[in-house]
């Protein structure tokens, strides 16, 4: 039996109902028969999730990920279709929902546990462990309204992970607290995974998704676009959706006196690709169009890791590749050979600017994501060409 | 009835929510729970003072009747006003965690019931004293109070369910309910005895019939009758006043169950 099963699941919202509902609006609609504007947060979702799987759900903001979790959790009622989860569901959706600001941390632990369906007896037994996990030993009898937001969330998480669910829903909770606490949270979630629980994880932290999930579902505008192995789906997401909808830090600017019209990433065989191999060449083919004659233009590029660390940048000026002038349409080809990046997700930026850097004609920041796969024996971000030599002593 | 079974099954959460309500309400006030008793006592004192002032000495009102009426009225008012925000004040909870929605208004009524029972601890000796002062005694029928309290609580639960759900869909509800409560206060025998409407009823007999259809009329009258030993009013209209909320309960539960499905969309 599947752990979660959805059939033609859909949830419709009324645009008119977004604000606070009032009687006046309802009457107005009834009398004027004004058609309501609808939109579907989720539609036509059909999927099965086997017990023990960890499934990631990715997609741009507003693509329907959270609605999907709400539907599975039962807090949202579907407009059409069905969704069924077998076994006990627990959600780490909103931590600390139901905390009462005037009550102490201790009282809130019991209250929150009751809301989450944890037996009082269990909480009593595990109380010290909960407080220890949250790191709030000295503050547990203080009203939570005096807590910092970090303390608040830590306590909520510590209670929430005491649940013994069959299906665990996680929505972006990993973005809370400091790094040390995040690691603790991830470990807890890993525990659930090891104990064979089914986990549905919504996150924008694609590295985490790739690391934890057995499979990933890509949602766009409420529909299931793709489901498959994490690397493949995440890559498709980056490639197809992320770069072109203005997510990430993607930006484009410049005077457009020269425009970057089209960019192709080619592998060693000259095939357009999105996944490249360490040690082999990567070609970038830039089709530009100069609207007027531009003298001494400079073509440049830079690379960042998926989480934004600047890796390398260079341009034709630095390499002393002088271009006297360009006009009309042409193609510029950049070759990186060998590609010394290790496995991961990278972002390519391109720019065309004037010789003295005073005019940026066209710059595309982080617009081109690509993946690199390598041999699994090495680790790190870049591959350095290395050699060992042994000189035995006398 | 199914709804009540659900509530019972989740009683642990119910107690916790009710406890949260009670503790939260008085946490930062110096007098704390004492307010539960002080507020209706002051209200009763104010009504008595002004009734005396305006109506003169000749006014035939029993102080015990006013105390009983005001305390019972307070119970209903508390259920309705905290019922209004049962969902709208807990939007986060409703949107993010799944549990039977019924529990929120039920917990509110439960905490109001605890308050009311505390009020009764003060009310009973006070009524006994007032009756003794005017030459009467407390009736043994007082022992039957739990039956009326149970019915009264159930009636308040229906009100809380109705207003809590309505307020999710239409935020106008809170204003309408405010107006409704002020009117209802005068339409129920809270600060006057039932006999006040007799003059009116002499002219238009139907007024008394309609008047007794009001469940609060029969509830408050029953509280008074039991404690002061007066006979229960058992006209056909009064009996209808007792019975129709029981029939209405089916409708309220049905509507509530349908409405709660889309709560998360409207909060």
């Amino acid at each position: 039996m599947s752990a979660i099963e959805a059939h033609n699941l859909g949830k419709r919202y009324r645009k008119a109902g977004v604000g606070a509902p009032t009687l006046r609006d309802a009457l107005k609609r009834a009398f004027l028969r004004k058609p309501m504007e609808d939109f579907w947060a989720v539609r036509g979702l059909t999927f099965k999730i086997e017990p023990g799987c960890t499934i990631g759900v990715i997609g741009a903001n507003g693509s329907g990920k959270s609605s999907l979790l709400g539907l599975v959790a039962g807090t949202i009622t579907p407009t059409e279709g069905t969704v069924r989860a077998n076994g006990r569901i627990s959600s780490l959706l909103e931590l600390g929902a139901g905390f009462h600001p005037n009550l102490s941390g201790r009282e809130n632990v019991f209250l929150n546990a009751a809301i989450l369906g944890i037996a009082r007896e269990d909480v009593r037994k595990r109380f010290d462990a909960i407080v220890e996990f949250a790191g709030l030993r000295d503050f547990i009898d203080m009203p939570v309204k005096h807590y910092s937001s970090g303390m608040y969330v830590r306590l909520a998480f510590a209670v929430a992970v005491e649940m013994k669910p069959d299906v665990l829903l996680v929505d972006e909770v990993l973005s809370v607290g400091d790094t040390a606490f995040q690691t603790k949270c991830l470990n807890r979630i890993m525990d659930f995974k090891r104990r064979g629980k089914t986990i549905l994880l919504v996150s924008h932290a694609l590295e985490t998704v790739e690391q934890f999930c057995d499979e990933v579902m890509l949602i766009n505008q409420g529909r299931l676009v793709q489901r498959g192995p994490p690397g493949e789906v995440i890559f498709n997401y980056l490639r197809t959706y992320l770069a072109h909808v203005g997510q990430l830090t993607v930006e484009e600017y410049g005077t457009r006196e020269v425009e970057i019209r089209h960019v192709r990433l080619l592998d060693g065989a000259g095939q357009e690709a999105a996944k490249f191999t360490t040690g082999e060449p990567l070609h970038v083919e830039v089709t530009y169009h100069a609207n007027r004659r531009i003298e001494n233009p400079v073509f440049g590029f830079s690379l960042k890791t998926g989480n934004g660390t600047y890796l390398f940048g260079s341009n034709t000026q630095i390499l002393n590749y002088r271009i006297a002038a360009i006009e009309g349409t042409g193609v510029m080809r950049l070759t990186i050979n060998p590609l010394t990046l290790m496995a991961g997700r990278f972002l390519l930026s391109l720019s065309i600017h004037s010789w003295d850097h005073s005019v940026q004609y066209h710059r595309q920041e982080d617009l081109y994501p690509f993946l690199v796969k390598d041999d699994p024996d090495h680790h790190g971000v870049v591959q350095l060409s290395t050699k060992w030599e042994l000189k035995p002593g006398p | 009835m199914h709804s009540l079974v659900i509530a019972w099954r989740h009683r642990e959460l119910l107690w916790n929510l009710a406890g949260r309500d009670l503790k939260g309400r008085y946490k930062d006030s110096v007098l704390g729970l004492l307010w539960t008793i002080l507020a209706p006592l002051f209200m009763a004192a104010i009504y008595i003072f002004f009734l005396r002032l305006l109506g003169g000495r000749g006014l035939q009102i029993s102080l015990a009747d006013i105390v009983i009426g005001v305390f019972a009225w307070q119970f209903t008012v508390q259920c309705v006003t905290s019922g209004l925000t049962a969902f709208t004040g807990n939007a986060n909870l409703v949107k993010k965690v799944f549990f039977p929605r019924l529990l929120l208004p039920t917990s509110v009524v439960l905490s109001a019931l605890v308050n009311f029972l505390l009020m009764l601890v003060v009310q009973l000796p006070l009524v006994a004293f007032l009756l003794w002062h005017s030459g009467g005694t407390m009736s043994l029928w007082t022992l039957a109070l739990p039956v009326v309290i149970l019915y009264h609580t159930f009636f308040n639960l229906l009100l809380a369910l109705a207003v809590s759900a309505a307020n999710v869909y239409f935020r106008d509800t809170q204003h309408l309910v405010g107006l409704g409560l002020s009117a209802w206060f005068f339409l129920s025998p809270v600060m006057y005895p039932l006999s006040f409407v007799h003059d009116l009823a002499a002219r238009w007999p139907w007024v008394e019939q309609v008047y007794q259809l009001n469940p609060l009329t029969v509830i408050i009258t029953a509280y008074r009758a039991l404690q002061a030993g007066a006979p229960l009013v058992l006209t056909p209209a009064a009996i209808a006043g007792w019975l129709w909320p029981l029939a209405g309960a089916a409708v309220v539960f049905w509507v509530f169950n349908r409405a709660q499905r889309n709560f998360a969309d409207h909060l």
Side-chain angles (χ1 to χ4, degrees):
Chain A
M1 198 159 51
S2 311
I4 307 173
E5 210 173 319
H7 183 74
N8 193 32
L9 185 62
K11 177 66 190 177
R12 182 183 59 201
Y13 285 102
R14 304 242 138 98
K15 279 188 181 164
V18 169
T22 65
L23 196 58
R24 212 186 93 203
D25 289 346
L27 291 176
K28 209 161 72 184
R29 275 198 299 273
F31 283 115
L32 299 181
R33 297 192 179 283
K34 226 174 73 183
M36 296 234 213
E37 272 187 90
D38 296 340
F39 81 96
W40 290 84
V42 163
R43 190 157 206 197
L45 288 188
T46 301
F47 61 84
K48 279 183 186 174
I49 291 172
E50 297 309 314
C53 281
T54 300
I55 306 283
V57 181
I58 59 173
N61 284 335
S63 58
K65 303 184 300 290
S66 296
S67 296
L68 172 61
L69 281 204
L71 286 162
V72 174
T75 52
I76 305 178
T77 309
T79 312
E80 61 177 31
T82 55
V83 58
R84 218 189 50 221
N86 291 309
R88 199 169 144 168
I89 315 176
S90 289
S91 47
L92 300 180
L93 296 187
E94 180 99 339
L95 292 170
F99 270 18
H100 195 295
N102 280 345
L103 300 184
S104 71
R106 180 186 303 274
E107 288 165 315
N108 268 309
V109 165
F110 284 99
L111 174 65
N112 209 232
I115 290 170
L116 297 173
I118 308 169
R120 193 174 181 81
E121 208 36 55
D122 292 350
V123 186
R124 208 170 325 206
K125 267 185 256 163
R126 299 270 306 145
F127 187 80
D128 288 336
I130 293 172
V131 177
E132 195 55 46
F133 184 79
L136 291 172
R137 179 166 297 281
D138 298 335
F139 303 98
I140 198 63
D141 287 309
M142 191 163 97
V144 296
K145 65 180 168 188
H146 298 309
Y147 279 20
S148 74
S149 55
M151 292 158 80
Y152 194 87
V153 170
R154 258 151 49 200
L155 187 63
F157 189 89
V159 178
V161 293
E162 286 301 317
M163 297 181 291
K164 306 269 187 295
D166 301 308
V167 176
L168 181 70
L169 308 176
V170 187
D171 190 0
E172 286 297 357
V173 287
L174 304 174
S175 55
V176 302
D178 51 25
T179 321
F181 189 70
Q182 275 182 27
T183 316
K184 267 162 96 178
C185 294
L186 277 176
N187 286 337
R188 273 301 168 102
I189 292 170
M190 278 305 283
D191 276 351
F192 280 108
K193 190 175 156 81
R194 272 193 288 274
R195 276 183 268 146
K197 308 296 182 193
T198 312
I199 302 174
L200 202 58
L201 175 91
V202 164
S203 183
H204 286 293
L206 298 175
E207 293 84 358
T208 314
V209 172
E210 186 158 9
Q211 188 187 339
F212 278 93
C213 299
D214 305 315
E215 261 190 296
V216 172
M217 298 202 289
L218 170 56
I219 310 269
N220 188 46
Q221 296 183 350
R223 291 182 180 272
L224 181 61
V225 178
Q226 194 189 3
R227 179 176 170 177
E232 207 173 288
V233 180
I234 289 173
F235 176 71
N236 187 25
Y237 169 53
L238 287 172
R239 180 99 189 135
T240 324
Y241 297 98
L242 203 77
H244 297 282
V245 292
Q247 298 291 319
L248 226 66
T249 52
V250 175
E251 56 177 341
E252 232 183 316
Y253 53 89
T255 62
R256 303 293 177 103
E257 285 161 283
V258 187
E259 267 183 299
I260 298 173
R261 280 276 168 88
H262 186 64
V263 173
R264 297 203 301 158
L265 302 183
L266 308 172
D267 64 14
Q271 293 296 312
E272 190 165 5
K275 197 167 198 170
F276 298 87
T277 313
T278 307
E280 295 194 3
L282 161 63
H283 303 285
V284 183
E285 209 178 76
V286 182
T287 308
Y288 65 84
H289 180 84
N291 292 313
R292 63 174 179 85
R293 188 183 153 80
I294 302 282
E295 297 194 8
N296 294 330
V298 178
F299 286 72
F301 84 100
S302 69
L303 286 177
K304 287 183 203 164
T305 60
N307 46 29
T309 309
Y310 190 87
L311 283 179
F312 185 78
S314 180
N315 61 33
T316 51
Q317 191 177 38
I318 296 170
L319 294 185
N320 268 324
Y321 183 74
R322 227 171 220 285
I323 306 161
I326 50 172
E327 193 170 10
T329 306
V331 174
M332 179 60 135
R333 193 178 167 97
L334 160 74
T335 298
I336 302 171
N337 190 18
L339 185 64
T340 49
L341 299 172
M342 300 288 284
R345 182 158 70 84
F346 299 92
L347 298 161
L348 171 71
S349 307
L350 292 169
S351 78
I352 305 174
H353 56 81
S354 65
W355 186 256
D356 59 358
H357 290 251
S358 65
V359 187
Q360 191 71 252
Y361 299 123
H362 195 177
R363 181 170 175 88
Q364 295 182 323
E365 192 80 33
D366 299 340
L367 206 56
Y368 303 99
F370 64 93
L371 286 184
V372 174
K373 61 170 194 246
D374 62 3
D375 65 301
D377 293 341
H378 288 94
H379 302 283
V381 183
V382 293
Q383 193 181 50
L384 303 176
S385 109
T386 47
K387 194 167 103 186
W388 300 87
E389 268 177 282
L390 178 69
K391 284 198 181 122
Chain B
M1 284 311 106
H2 177 63
S3 305
L4 293 181
V5 175
I6 291 175
W8 177 249
R9 208 175 292 149
H10 289 83
R11 56 191 176 280
E12 192 174 319
L13 174 53
L14 209 49
W15 295 128
N16 267 292
L17 288 172
R20 168 178 94 140
D21 206 50
L22 280 170
K23 281 185 207 154
R25 195 191 306 265
Y26 299 111
K27 196 73 175 184
D28 280 343
S29 59
V30 180
L31 292 180
L33 263 178
L34 216 52
W35 277 117
T36 308
I37 293 138
L38 288 179
L41 266 183
F42 279 131
M43 268 180 69
I46 291 167
Y47 294 145
I48 290 167
F49 177 77
F50 280 98
L51 276 176
R52 280 277 163 88
L53 193 71
L54 298 172
R57 280 256 157 203
L59 198 65
Q60 282 304 308
I61 50 162
S62 140
L63 298 184
D65 278 0
I66 292 183
V67 169
I68 294 170
V70 168
F71 277 44
W73 170 252
Q74 274 296 304
F75 181 25
T76 294
V77 166
Q78 205 195 329
C79 289
V80 171
T81 48
S82 11
L84 274 175
T85 53
F87 294 115
T88 50
N90 287 302
N92 224 357
L93 197 55
V94 176
K95 280 202 273 199
K96 300 296 178 183
V97 190
F98 179 75
F99 57 90
R101 302 303 181 218
L102 178 84
L103 299 183
L104 278 175
T106 310
S107 73
V108 158
V109 171
L110 219 53
S111 88
L113 175 63
V114 172
N115 266 336
F116 183 55
L117 294 177
L118 286 171
M119 278 153 70
L120 280 183
V121 172
V122 176
Q123 183 199 309
L124 291 175
L126 182 63
V127 167
F129 169 77
L130 290 171
L131 285 174
W132 169 80
H133 190 70
S134 56
T137 47
M138 196 94 159
S139 162
L140 261 185
W141 279 105
T142 304
L143 294 174
L145 272 184
V147 180
V148 184
I149 294 171
L150 200 66
Y151 177 86
H152 190 187
T153 308
F154 183 70
F155 177 65
N156 286 344
L157 175 64
L158 296 181
L159 291 177
L161 286 175
V163 297
S164 64
N167 202 30
V168 173
Y169 285 90
F170 309 107
R171 302 293 148 87
D172 307 61
T173 308
Q174 46 201 335
H175 306 290
L176 288 172
V177 164
L179 289 175
L181 280 178
S182 343
W184 203 14
F185 175 77
F186 290 102
L187 287 174
S188 311
V190 178
M191 54 163 195
Y192 55 85
L194 199 53
S195 54
F196 262 47
V197 291
H198 284 344
D199 290 348
L200 215 57
R203 249 187 294 171
W204 301 292
W206 59 268
V207 169
E208 191 159 19
Q209 307 282 313
V210 174
Y211 188 80
Q212 288 182 352
L213 280 177
N214 174 2
L216 259 193
T217 303
V218 292
I219 289 169
I220 293 176
T221 312
Y223 278 128
R224 287 173 179 159
L226 290 180
Q227 290 173 63
L232 271 174
V233 183
L234 283 175
T235 61
I239 291 172
W242 283 107
L243 292 181
W244 76 258
L246 293 177
V251 180
V252 170
F253 280 117
W254 184 80
V255 171
F256 182 86
N257 263 326
R258 286 191 58 96
Q260 55 102 13
R261 285 184 208 157
N262 292 320
F263 276 177
D265 305 353
H266 294 271
L267 285 170

